[in-house]
Amino acid sequence: MTNQSSVTEFILVGLSSFPEHQMFLFVVFTFIYMAVLAGNLLIVLTITTSSRLHTPMYILLINLSLINLLSISVSIPKMLHNLLEHRKTIALLGCIAQICLFTWTLVSEVLVLAAMAFDRYIAICHPLHYTIIMRKEVCVGLIAGIWIIGVANSAVHTGLVLQLSFFNSNIINHFFCELPPFLKLSCSDTSLNETLAFLADAVFGIGSCVITLMSYFFILRTILKIRSMEGKKKAFSTCSSHLIVVILYYSTAIYTYIHPSSAYSPDRDKVITVLYSVITPALNPIIYSLRNNEVKEALRKLISRLGLFQRQ
């Protein structure tokens, strides 16, 4: 069965329907978007140009930055465009494209965060075996698997969305087309869509969260065995920034996709979505660069080289 919708475009309510809030939101989210683009691109450029940072942890960080760039670019540009327009519309195919790309990045990000936690677990708990376990072939296979799983999961959900019909309301109480509010508008049976979304969140979201928490449990246990306070401080600093991001991202993303339909609250869910789709990508460059001496040193060298190049 193919999509038989009479609805060809949707209206995005956005974060606020009050006209007096539109320009303020435009300025704030334009600043956030530019900061995310600059921060994550700078991390990618810094790591790729520094041979000292060509290790599994920083390769995973590059992938996290690329996912953040794609994730925020799915929703924010269209949101900014609509903030300046009287009719805040998006075409049906554009809406489905947002669902496809955002679902892809959502799963890929939780898997990357889990992989980063596992990498820190091996580095701190089994340092002598680190180069063997996290060798180049394993790292490349891990990253390829993460992207393939993300694409496959997105393809399943997008394929099911294409089977839905939309004849009644075309108003989406959100600032972009995310799967839960989009399913609410369909006049078709969405039980299969909701079940698979729940299962995907349980398998990928909660599964990755369990792996991450277990990794940190063993990391903390190892840190507590270190006798010197300086050693404990250095070991904890390598993973504390990652833990901050993980807690914020998992708690909000899992809640959005795993709570029952009867508990759906558009205004509350929009705020929660902002936390993991906008705020987390904005925090990642700050946390990973300002709390990491190796990245700061490589960044200083990059800026120095760029300054020298400009003078020439």
Side-chain angles (χ1 to χ4, degrees), residues 248-264:
L248 176 63
Y249 189 82
Y250 279 122
S251 60
T252 52
I254 290 176
Y255 168 80
T256 299
Y257 283 83
I258 210 165
H259 68 67
S261 300
S262 57
Y264 178 70

Side-chain angles (χ1 to χ4, degrees), residues 215-228:
S215 297
Y216 279 107
F217 170 77
F218 289 114
I219 288 171
L220 291 173
R221 191 175 70 170
T222 301
I223 291 174
L224 291 175
K225 292 179 181 178
I226 300 175
R227 293 185 178 181
S228 68

Side-chain angles (χ1 to χ4, degrees), residues 126-145:
H126 303 282
L128 298 178
H129 299 94
Y130 182 79
T131 55
I132 299 174
I133 297 174
M134 296 300 294
R135 59 189 183 275
K136 181 180 179 180
E137 297 82 4
V138 173
C139 189
V140 171
L142 185 63
I143 292 170

Side-chain angles (χ1 to χ4, degrees), residues 196-211:
L196 288 180
F198 180 89
L199 289 175
D201 200 50
V203 173
F204 299 120
I206 296 179
S208 298
C209 186
V210 169
I211 292 173

Side-chain angles (χ1 to χ4, degrees), residues 16-300:
S16 174
S17 58
F18 296 102
E20 59 270 23
H21 296 164
Q22 305 305 298
M23 188 52 63
F24 172 75
L25 290 173
F26 178 82
V27 173
V28 169
F29 280 91
T30 297
F31 174 78
I32 292 175
Y33 184 56
M34 297 305 293
V36 171
L37 291 181
N40 283 284
L41 285 173
L42 197 56
I43 282 183
V44 172
L45 186 61
T46 300
I47 295 174
T48 53
T49 56
S50 176
S51 57
R52 289 186 59 191
L53 300 182
H54 292 176
T55 62
M57 180 177 73
Y58 295 111
I59 293 173
L60 288 169
L61 182 54
I62 286 179
N63 282 268
L64 180 62
S65 292
L66 292 175
I67 290 170
N68 287 159
L69 287 169
L70 177 58
S71 174
I72 200 167
S73 296
V74 169
S75 58
I76 297 302
K78 183 60 179 177
M79 173 190 175
L80 294 176
H81 177 265
N82 283 348
L83 284 170
L84 299 178
E85 297 290 328
H86 292 294
R87 294 189 73 248
K88 308 176 187 302
T89 61
I90 183 170
L92 173 60
L93 290 180
C95 203
I96 293 174
Q98 282 192 334
I99 291 173
C100 175
L101 292 172
F102 189 75
T103 304
W104 174 18
T105 60
L106 196 66
V107 169
S108 297
E109 185 159 358
V110 298
L111 293 177
V112 167
L113 290 173
M116 293 177 74
F118 179 74
D119 175 83
R120 291 301 83 206
Y121 159 71
I122 299 298
I124 294 173
C125 300
H126 303 282
L128 298 178
H129 299 94
Y130 182 79
T131 55
I132 299 174
I133 297 174
M134 296 300 294
R135 59 189 183 275
K136 181 180 179 180
E137 297 82 4
V138 173
C139 189
V140 171
L142 185 63
I143 292 170
I146 287 170
W147 285 95
I148 291 171
I149 290 172
V151 170
N153 176 72
S154 176
V156 170
H157 291 294
T158 305
L160 290 174
V161 165
L162 288 171
Q163 306 302 313
L164 301 178
S165 298
F166 301 87
F167 292 106
N168 301 316
S169 176
N170 68 334
I171 300 175
I172 302 177
N173 193 359
H174 213 300
F175 61 94
F176 75 104
C177 293
E178 194 177 15
L179 190 59
F182 188 73
L183 294 179
K184 289 289 181 183
L185 300 182
S186 177
C187 54
S188 305
D189 181 11
T190 60
S191 57
L192 179 59
N193 303 72
E194 292 175 359
T195 299
L196 288 180
F198 180 89
L199 289 175
D201 200 50
V203 173
F204 299 120
I206 296 179
S208 298
C209 186
V210 169
I211 292 173
T212 302
L213 293 178
M214 287 181 63
S215 297
Y216 279 107
F217 170 77
F218 289 114
I219 288 171
L220 291 173
R221 191 175 70 170
T222 301
I223 291 174
L224 291 175
K225 292 179 181 178
I226 300 175
R227 293 185 178 181
S228 68
M229 288 301 296
E230 185 63 28
K232 289 182 180 180
K233 183 179 179 180
K234 182 178 180 180
F236 187 73
S237 67
T238 62
C239 58
S240 59
S241 56
H242 181 210
L243 189 57
I244 293 170
V245 176
V246 164
I247 291 173
L248 176 63
Y249 189 82
Y250 279 122
S251 60
T252 52
I254 290 176
Y255 168 80
T256 299
Y257 283 83
I258 210 165
H259 68 67
S261 300
S262 57
Y264 178 70
S265 173
D267 293 333
R268 180 185 59 203
D269 284 18
K270 280 190 288 187
V271 174
I272 291 173
T273 301
V274 168
L275 290 177
Y276 68 82
S277 68
V278 179
I279 302 303
T280 300
L283 290 177
N284 281 343
I286 299 173
I287 291 173
Y288 283 110
S289 59
L290 295 182
R291 296 180 61 87
N292 190 302
N293 291 328
E294 291 180 321
V295 173
K296 285 192 289 186
E297 180 62 28
L299 182 58
R300 279 193 290 267

